[in-house]
Amino acid sequence: MGIESSCDETAVAIVSNDKKILSNIILTQLEEHMPYGGVVPEIAARSHIDHLNRLVRRALSEAKIGFDDISAIAVTSGPGLIGGVMVGLMTAKAMAYARGLPLISVNHLEGHALSIRLTEEISFPYLLLLVSGGHCQLLVVKGVGDYERLGTTIDDAAGEAFDKTAKILGLGYPGGPAVEKAAAQGDPNRFKFPRPLKGKPGSNFSFSGLKTAVLRARDQLSAEQDGKLKRQDICDLAASFQKALTDAILDRVQNAMDYYLENYQNKNKMLVIAGGVAANSSIKEQLEGLCDKRGFELKAPPMNLCTDNGAMIAWVGVEKFEGQQFSGLDTGAVARWPLDPDATPAIGAGAKA
Ligand code: KG4
Ligand code: ZN
C-alpha cells in the first residue's frame, strides 16, 4: 500500500510486486484551494485528515483485498508541506504498528523518479526531467536511492511559473492547463521574453525573471489600451511565455544530455519526464524533437501517474521491499529531502529541492 499526502492530493494505492495497480485512489483538493489561487498548507493538512482513512478503506475494497494481503505500508515522508506529510506518515505508522507490517518511508521525488519502472521495463541508469508545481530538476537515476542531480531551479519550479503566469493573465488556477489552452490560440513570437540561463553551462533552471517579464508586458499593454487586455493579447502572452519556458528547458536538457553521454557511456540513451508539467503537449513535442536529434528515447508515465498519486509511492515500496529497506516507527516527516545529498544546494532553491 502506498500513501501520498505531501501536497494537495490525498492518495492511496495498492500495487503488487508484479507491477499490477490493484487500486489507485486520488482525491484532489483543487476546489478547496481555488479561492486562494494556490495551495494553502493548513487547509491541505486538515483536508488530508478528513479523507485519508476513508480512502484507505476504498483502496482495499477496490483492490478486493484485506489488510491480511498487504505486505508493507509505503508512505511519503518528505519533501513537501510538512503538515500534510505528517498526516500521511502518522496514518501509515498507526496501520503498520496495529497490523505488524513493515513501514517503508518514501521520498516523494523518488516516487516520480521510479514510476516509469512500474509501467515499463526500464533498467538503470536513465536521465530524468522532473517538472512539477514544486520541483524542477534534472537527475541521473542510477538505482533505488542512488541519484546524481545535474540541475535544479534556483528560484521557481516550472509548474509554479505556469501557475503564476496564469494568475498574471487572469486565467485561474491551476495555471498549467489554462496557459496551455490559451497558448494554443496565441502567437508565440509576438513577445520576446527572456530564456533564463540559456547558453550558460550546467543544467540549473530559473523562471522568476520570465514571470516578471510577462507581468511587465501585460502592464505595458494594458496601459496602452486604457487598462484593458484583449483575449488575443492574453493568448499571445501565454504562447510567448510557453515558448520561452520551453526553449529554456530544452537548453538545460541538452547540457544534461551532453553530461550524461560523457559520464555514463554505453548506458540507456533515455530521457524520462515526470511531474504535472509533463502533461503539456507543446513541451513534450519539443522534447520529442530534441530526443530524436540526439538519439535519445523519450519516455513518460501515463498522465495519472505523472501527477501526484499513491501508486508511485507504493511502487517505491515494492522496490525498497526487495532490498528490505524498512523504516522504524520513529521515522520523522521532513520538509526538505534532496535525492542527491551530495549536490550543492542551489541558491534560493526554496525549501524542497
Ligand atoms: O506533479 P503535480 O501534479 O504536483 C506537484 O507539484 O507535485 O504538478 C502540478 C503542476 C502545476 O503547477 C500545474 O500548473 C502544472 O503541473 N501543470 C501543467 C500542465 N498541467 C499541469 N503545466 C503546464 N502544462 C500543463 N498542461
Ligand atoms: Zn509531485
Side-chain angles (χ1 to χ4, degrees), residues 1 12 14 23 25 51-63 65 67 95:
M1 178 183 286
V12 183
I14 294 166
S23 58
I25 322 276
H51 300 292
L52 194 50
N53 288 358
R54 183 172 55 83
L55 296 198
V56 167
R57 264 185 247 121
R58 228 180 98 193
L60 286 167
S61 77
E62 277 194 19
I65 59 168
F67 261 116
M95 291 192 292

Side-chain angles (χ1 to χ4, degrees), residues 28 30 46 72 94 111 115 170 188 192-193 228 245 271 307 350 352:
T28 172
L30 217 60
R46 284 165 190 262
S115 57
K192 302 278 169 278
F193 290 139
K228 288 193 200 80
L245 180 132
L271 173 69
T307 46
K352 296 186 248 167

Side-chain angles (χ1 to χ4, degrees), residues 4 6-9 39 108-109 112 130-135 157-164 166 172-181 241-242 245 274-283 303 305-309 312 352:
E4 159 60 35
S6 67
C7 193
D8 58 343
E9 266 89 24
V39 181
H108 176 85
L109 302 174
H112 283 300
L130 172 56
V131 271
S132 69
H135 307 280
E160 196 177 353
F162 269 99
D163 294 335
K164 287 179 176 170
Y173 168 85
V179 171
E180 181 176 12
K181 203 163 149 220
F241 157 80
Q242 185 173 275
L245 180 132
V277 182
N280 187 292
S281 39
S282 163
I283 295 179
M303 217 36 248
L305 298 182
C306 253
T307 46
D308 289 350
N309 65 89
M312 69 180 191
K352 296 186 248 167

